[in-house]
Amino acid sequence: MIDIKKLRDNFEDVKSSLITRGYSLDEPSFKALEDNRKLLQVEVEKLQADRKKLSGEFGKLKSSGEDTSALKKTIDLTNAELETKDLELQEILNSLNALLLDIPNLPHESVPKGKSEKDNVVIKNYGSIDTSNTLDHLEITNDIDTELAAKLSGSRFAVLKGDIAKLQRALISFMIDTAIKNGYHEYYVPFMANEDSLIGTGQLPKFEEDLFKTSDKLYLIPTAEVPLTNLFRNEFLDEKDLPIKVTSHTPCFRSEAGSYGKDTRGLIRQHQFEKIELVQITHPDHSMSCLDNLLANACEILEKLELPYQIIELCTGDLGFSSSKTFDIEVWMPSQNKYREISSCSNFSDFQARRANIKFKNKDGNNLVHTINGSGLAVGRCLIALIENNFNGSDSIKVPECLEQYFGSNEIKIN
RNA sequence: GGAGAGUUGGCUGAGUGGUCGAAAGCGCCUCCCUGCUAAGGAGGUAACUGGGCAACUGGUUCGAGGGUUCGAAUCCCUCACUCUCCGCCA
C-alpha cells in the first residue's frame, strides 16, 4: 500500500510515476472521494466531540438528581445525525481503502523506464553456455514422472524418484546451509496462512485467483515470503537489530490461473514446487544495499553449482505489484535454448511494511521498515538446470562439487 | 470433541458503567550527580488519524464484530486466538 498522504500532497508525481509502470490512477474518482471524506470526517468528528461533552453533562445532572429530559432530547438529535453522517463516511472510507489497496508500489527512481519485459536490462552474465545438449530433463531421466503425478493429483504436478528425489533433497540442504552461512536465521513455518498475512505481503485482495484456498479460510502459501515476512506483522522492531535476515525452505503452491497452455511440459511450471526464500527486514536508509546483498547471496548458489546465469533488471512496466525495484536471476536452460527465471529479488520499500504494520522506533519517532526478498533459489527449476546443463550426452549427469557432501556421489547414472 | 480461564500501552500488569487512553513496574528519552562504569535523583514517554501555514486543536482505538446505554476497557451476544484439565492421536 502506498502512502495516502503522498497521494493527497503530490498527486501529480504519484500519478506520473504509476504511469511508467502502466497503471493509470482514476483521478476524478479519487478527488471526489477525498473531498467528500474531508467534509464528512470533519463533521462526524465534531458531532462525536459534541456527544462526548453532552454525555458528561448528562452524567453530572443525573448524579445531582436534576432533570435530564431536555438534555436527552438534544443528545438524541446529535446521535441521530451522527449515525447517518458516520454511515456515509464509512462508505467513502471503504471505497478509498479499496482504491488504495489496488494501487501498485511506486517504482524506485533508479528503475529503467519501459513498457514490457522487452525493455528489461541485462546487467550481468556469468559462466559460459553450452549449446551441444538439446534434450530436456524429461528426455534425460525417467525419474521425473508427470504421468504418475497426473493419476495422483492432476496436471502440473510431478513425482520424483530415486536419485532425482535425492538430488532435490541435496539441493535444499545446500541452499539452506548457504543461507545460514550468509547470516540468515532458519525458520520452519506453516504452509497455510490466513487472510491477514496474505494482505500483509500484497497477494490479497487483488490476486486471490492465483492462490489455493482451503475450506478453513486458509490459503496455501505461494512462497515462504508470506510466512517469513508476516513473522513481523504488527511488531515494533529494535532499530539496532536491523537488518533482520531470515530464511526458510517450503513447498510453494500456485494455481497458475491464466497460464493455460504455457510451460505445460516438465517441471518448469508446477502447482507445487520447493523453494528456499531469503527475506530481509531492513532500515529504510539501507534497503538498496540490502537488496544488493540478497542478490549476491542468491547468485552465490548458482556460482557454486557452476550454472550459467544472467541478471536482469526489470523495467518499470514489468515490475511486480508490490515491488519498487526487482532483479531477476535467470539460469541457462539448454533444452529451451534460453535463460529462465530462477529467482526474483525485490525491494518492496515500505509497501508491505505499511500493509503488515512493521515498524521500529527511534528518536525521530515511529518508522516503517523496508522489506526485501528473493528466492535462493527455486529448487524445481534448479533441478532442471542441473540435469540439462550437466548431462554428458549419453549416460550420466554430473553432480557439482558443492553438492557431493549432501548427495554422496559426484554423478548420477542414467539407465 | 468436552470443561474452565484468559486476550489491556514497546514489555509485564492493575483496572468491573462517567472524573480511564488507562495505576504501578520495566524499557526508552532529556537533565542532574559521580573522574569512567555501575548505582542514584528530577522530568518526559501509547498507537493510528483529521483540521490548521503555524501555534495549536479534534477524533478513534483496551483481541475482532455486533448489541444495551445519554455514556462501555468495564454489561450482553457472536467469532478468533492463547492457556489449563479431560478424551483422542502422529
Side-chain angles (χ1 to χ4, degrees):
Chain A
M1 189 146 61
I2 65 167
D3 188 357
I4 190 164
K5 283 187 205 122
K6 246 187 197 163
L7 252 192
R8 287 185 193 135
D9 302 341
N10 301 306
F11 189 89
E12 290 310 319
D13 292 348
V14 172
K15 189 181 168 187
S16 57
S17 170
L18 287 173
I19 281 173
T20 67
R21 50 140 72 229
Y23 184 91
S24 71
L25 257 182
D26 187 349
E27 183 163 2
S29 76
F30 174 76
K31 291 244 153 108
L33 281 171
E34 175 57 18
D35 289 348
N36 251 317
R37 183 227 104 223
K38 197 161 170 172
L39 224 65
L40 276 167
Q41 185 165 349
V42 169
E43 269 185 274
V44 163
E45 290 180 1
K46 163 84 168 56
L47 287 166
Q48 284 171 331
D50 287 350
R51 180 180 61 182
K52 225 178 193 175
K53 212 171 79 202
L54 294 173
S55 286
E57 287 168 20
F58 187 99
K60 275 182 205 136
L61 288 186
K62 194 95 183 179
S63 64
S64 61
E66 290 175 61
D67 177 41
T68 54
S69 58
L71 185 53
K72 173 137 172 30
K73 225 166 237 172
T74 316
I75 294 177
D76 285 345
L77 242 55
T78 307
N79 273 341
E81 195 184 353
L82 178 58
E83 197 178 342
T84 45
K85 287 274 159 63
D86 193 42
L87 229 57
E88 272 181 75
L89 178 62
Q90 290 316 319
E91 223 166 275
I92 286 174
L93 250 26
N94 286 342
S95 310
L96 217 42
N97 196 39
L99 194 128
L100 215 58
L101 279 173
D102 191 69
I103 300 175
N105 200 1
L106 304 178
H108 189 261
E109 59 198 11
S110 65
V111 174
K113 305 269 185 294
K115 280 193 162 56
S116 72
E117 59 182 300
K118 290 187 192 68
D119 302 312
N120 293 342
V121 183
V122 179
I123 62 167
K124 180 183 171 182
N125 256 286
Y126 179 91
S128 52
I129 59 174
D130 177 359
T131 52
S132 63
N133 171 49
T134 54
L135 293 182
D136 78 13
H137 52 292
L138 296 186
E139 294 167 316
I140 294 170
T141 175
N142 292 318
D143 284 345
I144 299 173
D145 196 329
T146 51
E147 277 177 42
L148 256 186
K151 176 165 81 174
L152 299 178
S153 309
S155 64
R156 293 203 191 281
F157 287 96
V159 170
L160 305 185
K161 305 182 226 173
D163 278 347
I164 297 298
K166 189 178 180 186
L167 184 62
Q168 163 155 293
R169 198 152 45 81
L171 274 170
I172 291 166
S173 293
F174 163 65
M175 289 179 192
I176 281 280
D177 283 349
T178 305
I180 292 169
K181 186 210 79 189
N182 284 327
Y184 294 80
H185 199 64
E186 183 180 2
Y187 280 78
Y188 172 82
V189 294
F191 303 156
M192 295 188 213
N194 58 27
E195 186 184 21
D196 285 348
S197 296
L198 274 305
I199 289 173
T201 32
Q203 285 79 16
L204 290 180
K206 210 172 179 177
F207 305 104
E208 174 153 30
E209 72 278 6
D210 295 336
L211 301 169
F212 287 112
K213 188 179 189 176
T214 72
S215 53
D216 294 323
K217 297 177 293 187
L218 291 173
Y219 296 83
L220 298 184
I221 56 169
T223 157
E225 159 194 352
V226 175
L228 284 177
T229 307
N230 279 283
L231 290 172
F232 306 98
R233 178 156 48 90
N234 290 130
E235 297 287 340
F236 268 99
L237 303 173
D238 224 320
E239 188 177 20
K240 66 176 187 295
D241 292 337
L242 302 177
I244 298 172
K245 300 162 84 171
V246 294
T247 187
S248 188
H249 153 239
T250 70
C252 301
F253 302 93
R254 299 186 181 177
S255 77
E256 296 298 343
S259 44
Y260 303 110
K262 198 166 147 194
D263 295 323
T264 50
R265 184 175 163 81
L267 287 187
I268 192 95
R269 188 177 298 276
Q270 302 265 289
H271 286 311
Q272 172 186 327
F273 61 96
E274 304 301 298
K275 186 158 66 65
I276 281 72
E277 186 73 1
L278 307 173
V279 171
Q280 295 195 18
I281 309 293
T282 77
H283 194 287
D285 294 348
H286 306 130
S287 61
M288 277 307 167
S289 61
C290 290
L291 176 61
D292 291 341
N293 171 256
L294 188 141
L295 180 66
N297 295 153
C299 289
E300 179 185 336
I301 308 263
L302 286 173
E303 288 168 24
K304 291 243 173 75
L305 290 172
E306 301 161 45
L307 291 170
Y309 70 87
Q310 63 179 15
I311 300 176
I312 303 284
E313 177 166 9
L314 298 198
C315 71
T316 52
D318 201 28
L319 232 37
F321 178 73
S322 304
S323 174
S324 77
K325 188 179 180 75
T326 297
F327 296 105
D328 276 1
I329 305 174
E330 300 183 334
V331 70
W332 180 250
M333 295 283 188
S335 67
Q336 300 195 4
N337 200 39
K338 63 180 174 194
Y339 289 96
R340 294 298 306 258
E341 178 184 334
I342 198 167
S343 174
S344 189
C345 302
S346 303
N347 184 347
F348 299 92
S349 65
D350 59 12
F351 191 83
Q352 293 182 327
R354 184 172 294 105
R355 290 174 164 241
N357 189 30
I358 309 173
K359 294 180 191 160
F360 67 93
K361 274 180 197 284
N362 65 11
K363 56 183 185 309
D364 305 326
N366 302 322
N367 309 273
L368 293 167
V369 299
H370 281 192
T371 56
I372 315 284
N373 70 52
S375 331
L377 305 162
V379 178
R381 289 191 178 180
C382 199
L383 206 52
I384 302 176
L386 217 48
I387 292 168
E388 295 185 3
N389 280 286
N390 289 9
F391 179 48
N392 74 347
S394 60
D395 61 355
S396 79
I397 300 163
K398 184 187 143 213
V399 173
E401 207 180 313
C402 65
L403 290 184
E404 276 181 36
Q405 56 164 307
Y406 299 101
F407 186 73
S409 163
N410 61 5
E411 66 168 2
I412 295 174
K413 280 281 176 207
I414 292 166
N415 33 30

